[in-house]
């Protein structure tokens, strides 16, 4: 195996080791040591297999490191987000780019808004998507009265 450079999200971290996942390919790498990583950290890095067995990996270079903050907001979706949801079919996902960096995802849901919000907050893919979008903050808003769930991928 050879070195691999990419964007990785830390999915598991202990004092002695960590697990990172490539946000583009979903390939998982178990690191033989933990260079101070925490769950939800995002690395722009190069990893390489450790000889002789090449079953564990090590971080050989870090170009950038950031943490994705997951926020369970008590704010309701914006008026614009509610309008987007009103034009969507139930269960449909509406994606809209933000001005600059980031994205907004809006769901039109009839029920189970709270459960859907918790699923988004607990889903490992939420952090990976944030890493791909170069976001550092994911804000989940909901309105049970309107049946709207919004997920905001924000640069800061």
């Amino acid at each position: 195996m050879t070195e691999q450079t990419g964007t990785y999200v830390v999915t598991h971290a202990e004092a002695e080791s960590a697990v990172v996942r490539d946000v583009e390919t979903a390939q998982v790498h178990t690191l033989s040591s933990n260079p101070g990583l925490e769950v939800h950290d995002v690395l722009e890095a190069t990893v390489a297999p450790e000889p002789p067995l090449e079953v564990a990996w090590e971080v050989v270079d870090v170009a950038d490191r950031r943490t994705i903050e997951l926020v369970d907001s008590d704010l309701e979706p914006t008026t614009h987000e509610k309008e987007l949801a009103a034009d969507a079919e139930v269960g449909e996902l509406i994606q809209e780019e933000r001005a600059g960096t980031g994205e907004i995802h809006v769901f039109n849901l009839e029920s189970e808004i709270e459960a859907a919000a918790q699923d988004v907050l607990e889903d490992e893919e939420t952090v990976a998507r944030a890493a791909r979008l170069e976001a550092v903050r994911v804000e989940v808003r909901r309105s049970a009265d309107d049946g709207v769930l919004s997920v905001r991928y924000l640069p800061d």
Side-chain angles (χ1 to χ4, degrees), residues 41-143:
D41 280 356
V42 174
L43 304 173
E44 307 286 340
T46 300
V47 296
E50 285 192 341
L53 299 177
E54 297 187 344
V55 294
W57 295 72
E58 65 181 335
V59 176
V60 294
D61 183 52
V62 177
D64 186 39
R65 177 179 173 178
R66 64 188 183 276
T67 299
I68 305 294
E69 179 185 12
L70 296 172
V71 179
D72 187 1
S73 177
D74 58 355
L75 298 174
E76 288 206 357
T78 64
T79 301
H80 177 65
E81 292 166 348
K82 290 178 182 179
E83 290 169 354
L84 289 173
D87 293 336
E89 297 291 323
V90 173
E92 184 180 355
L93 164 64
I94 304 297
Q95 293 176 266
E96 183 172 276
E97 288 186 21
R98 296 184 72 248
T101 306
E103 210 168 80
I104 298 170
H105 294 184
V106 180
F107 298 89
N108 179 1
L109 303 172
E110 287 182 336
S111 62
E112 303 297 325
I113 304 282
E114 189 59 39
Q118 291 309 309
D119 285 349
V120 169
L121 289 163
E122 294 169 5
D123 189 355
E124 192 175 279
E125 186 55 32
T126 300
V127 176
R129 186 174 298 107
R132 285 192 298 276
L133 293 170
E134 298 178 9
V136 295
R137 178 179 165 98
V138 178
E139 186 178 276
V140 177
R141 297 180 177 192
R142 58 189 143 313
S143 171

Side-chain angles (χ1 to χ4, degrees), residues 10 12-19 30-35 37:
V10 178
H12 184 78
E14 294 181 356
E16 316 79 41
S17 67
V19 177
T30 301
L31 304 179
S32 60
S33 64
N34 183 346
L37 302 175

Side-chain angles (χ1 to χ4, degrees), residues 143-156:
S143 171
D145 293 340
D146 298 307
V148 177
L149 175 70
S150 73
V151 183
R152 305 162 57 87
Y153 294 91
L154 307 169
D156 56 23

